[in-house]
Amino acid sequence: MTIDKDFDAKRSLAAINRVRSMVSGPRLAAADRIAKIYNEYVPLERDEGLQKALLGSVASVTTPITGKPDKRRIVAVVGRSGAGKTTALAKHISTIDAMKAYVDEDGVQVTPVLSIEAPSPCTPRLLAVAGLEALGHAPRDRIRENEAWLLFRRLLKVHKVMWVVIDEAQNAIESASVREATIIGDAFKSLTQMPDWPVRLILAGVPPLASFLARKQLYNRRTVVPFDTLDANGNNDLIRQVVTTVVVTHAGLKLDIDFDDIRNSDDDDRTYFLERLMHACDAEFGSVVQLVRAAVELAILGNEEAVNIGHFKETYASFSGCRPSKNIFTAVNWQELEPATALLREEDRAWEREQMVRKGKRVTKFGVRPQ
């Protein structure tokens, strides 16, 4: 059974247009303006490495098919959540001609890049089923693991897919048994060694993925592009440039923030805006860009001409659910605050402590997640 993607797309567009028809002109114009800002891309030096790795993957397809290991057959982008992996991959793939959709000699629309999000929880069978569904095929409910992979490989050839992108790839191995991890590793290997069709893998995931890729069956077949966290002491100029680019260049607004000397009314010390911004985003570049864009969105929706620290304060409060006194952009003890646990209240902490004790584990500090 196949899924009519065009039909689903038309239904989705019709539903969106119905909602748009109910929104006022000024509000709709603001929404369209915000959408354009979110479509912009902010590059880093690491993008050069990613572009080179993807172009190497393309080059490997131009050579005769062999069973010999080739480090260009698997490209892995590894970094913590919020690092910007998915956005970067989508951007670079869209700029490479060989990866763009085309109409073949039979007049059929071909999309050479297939994107899959690894399900969670994940098993080898569920991963293969996710691939089949991404191809527009609905497999039978009781399809076996080996049958699903055989069908997936065959349909990749039928649909002329040469690159398979697996996002959240760590889900495939994070809770896998030794057997399941081995099966998935073998499946990845076999995908890139099909004797009559060249397929290349592009994986994106958080650090457990790096450990998985270190196994012998994949080591000689992968190129890894790390998306490291920001250095709070060495990236001020970069973050300053990002804020200025998004606010001024992309949004066309003014920036009412003095990066070097912003003072609180409660104390005479500098507020260290750039450092606070990085801390609020757990030093992840993608999260920084997201928070800046959200602050810009507030200004646009408020019909304001400038972005100020108040927009960042409100955005962080919305993202984190923190109490007003615990807002990283205004609190005196901002360095001691943890964005990941800002939403927790005392009743949440009490529940976590109870769970830890019940499992016979030592409670070390507030905000420790149940293990």
Side-chain angles (χ1 to χ4, degrees):
M1 181 187 296
T2 58
I3 301 170
D4 191 336
K5 293 185 178 180
D6 289 338
F7 177 72
D8 285 345
K10 290 178 181 177
R11 291 182 70 236
S12 177
L13 181 59
I16 292 171
N17 285 335
R18 175 180 176 276
V19 175
R20 286 178 65 89
S21 69
M22 300 177 183
V23 179
S24 65
R27 182 63 181 82
L28 197 59
D32 290 340
R33 181 182 175 187
I34 291 167
K36 289 181 179 179
I37 295 169
Y38 276 86
N39 283 332
E40 296 284 354
Y41 185 71
V42 182
L44 290 177
E45 289 184 8
R46 67 191 186 188
D47 286 271
E48 296 179 10
L50 179 56
Q51 181 79 357
K52 182 178 179 181
L54 292 176
L55 290 175
S57 177
V58 171
S60 74
V61 173
T62 67
T63 59
I65 299 174
T66 67
K68 297 179 181 179
D70 183 344
K71 289 190 176 181
R72 300 174 300 175
R73 294 190 179 189
I74 300 177
V75 174
V77 184
V78 182
R80 296 194 310 182
S81 178
K85 304 180 295 297
T86 303
T87 300
L89 275 173
K91 174 62 177 179
H92 286 284
I93 288 174
S94 71
T95 66
I96 298 176
D97 289 339
M99 294 181 167
K100 294 178 180 178
Y102 65 95
V103 177
D104 67 8
E105 61 277 5
D106 297 319
V108 177
Q109 178 83 11
V110 175
T111 304
V113 178
L114 177 72
S115 295
I116 306 168
E117 182 170 320
S120 178
C122 187
T123 64
R125 177 183 173 278
L126 289 177
L127 184 59
V129 168
L132 290 171
E133 290 176 344
L135 285 169
H137 181 85
R140 68 179 189 276
D141 291 339
R142 297 183 179 274
I143 188 170
R144 295 179 180 178
E145 181 181 280
N146 63 321
E147 293 175 331
W149 281 106
L150 286 171
L151 181 58
F152 182 51
R153 288 196 291 270
R154 182 174 70 80
L155 290 182
L156 287 177
K157 291 184 286 184
V158 171
H159 290 273
K160 298 183 179 180
V161 172
M162 289 186 170
W163 290 274
V164 177
V165 180
I166 303 180
D167 200 4
E168 303 295 344
Q170 78 283 348
N171 288 342
I173 48 90
E174 196 164 25
S175 59
S177 65
V178 174
R179 171 191 171 276
E180 290 174 334
T182 300
I183 290 174
I184 291 173
D186 287 340
F188 285 175
K189 177 182 174 182
S190 65
L191 280 178
T192 63
Q193 289 187 171
M194 293 169 65
D196 54 353
W197 186 253
V199 173
R200 302 294 179 257
L201 281 178
I202 302 171
L203 310 176
V206 299
L209 176 61
S211 176
F212 174 71
L213 292 171
R215 58 184 54 229
K216 186 176 180 180
Q217 65 195 143
L218 301 175
Y219 182 82
N220 290 330
R221 293 174 172 81
R222 77 331 184 239
T223 298
V224 179
V225 182
F227 271 37
D228 295 326
T229 57
L230 298 169
D231 178 1
N233 296 318
N235 288 116
N236 277 15
D237 289 342
L238 170 64
I239 301 304
R240 182 195 304 256
Q241 181 180 352
V242 169
V243 175
T244 303
T245 297
V246 174
V247 174
V248 179
T249 306
H250 295 171
L253 298 175
K254 297 177 182 178
L255 188 56
D256 189 16
I257 295 177
D258 185 341
F259 293 127
D260 298 318
D261 192 13
I262 308 169
R263 300 177 186 276
N264 288 324
S265 58
D266 297 330
D267 68 294
D268 196 39
D269 293 328
R270 295 186 178 187
T271 63
Y272 300 102
F273 171 78
L274 296 173
E275 290 86 344
R276 289 175 186 253
L277 176 57
M278 280 188 277
H279 183 54
C281 298
D282 201 21
E284 294 296 348
F285 181 76
S287 296
V288 169
V289 174
Q290 182 184 30
L291 197 148
V292 175
R293 284 173 172 165
V296 166
E297 182 175 345
L298 279 181
I300 291 176
L301 293 176
N303 199 29
E304 300 173 66
E305 297 182 354
V307 174
N308 56 49
I309 197 170
H311 295 114
F312 284 89
K313 174 185 174 182
E314 185 176 345
T315 297
Y316 175 74
S318 175
F319 279 14
S320 69
C322 69
R323 290 190 177 93
S325 62
K326 303 295 184 181
N327 194 301
I328 285 178
F329 285 96
T330 55
V332 175
N333 64 332
W334 60 275
Q335 291 173 307
E336 302 172 11
L337 303 176
E338 291 293 336
T341 59
L343 180 61
L344 297 182
R345 300 298 188 256
E346 180 54 38
E347 54 269 30
D348 299 305
R349 301 183 190 279
W351 179 86
E352 290 190 343
R353 291 195 296 271
E354 180 183 341
Q355 294 301 307
M356 296 289 282
V357 171
R358 181 176 299 175
K359 294 180 180 181
K361 296 183 179 181
R362 182 180 177 184
V363 179
T364 56
K365 62 178 181 177
F366 280 153
V368 174
R369 298 293 190 189
Q371 301 297 314

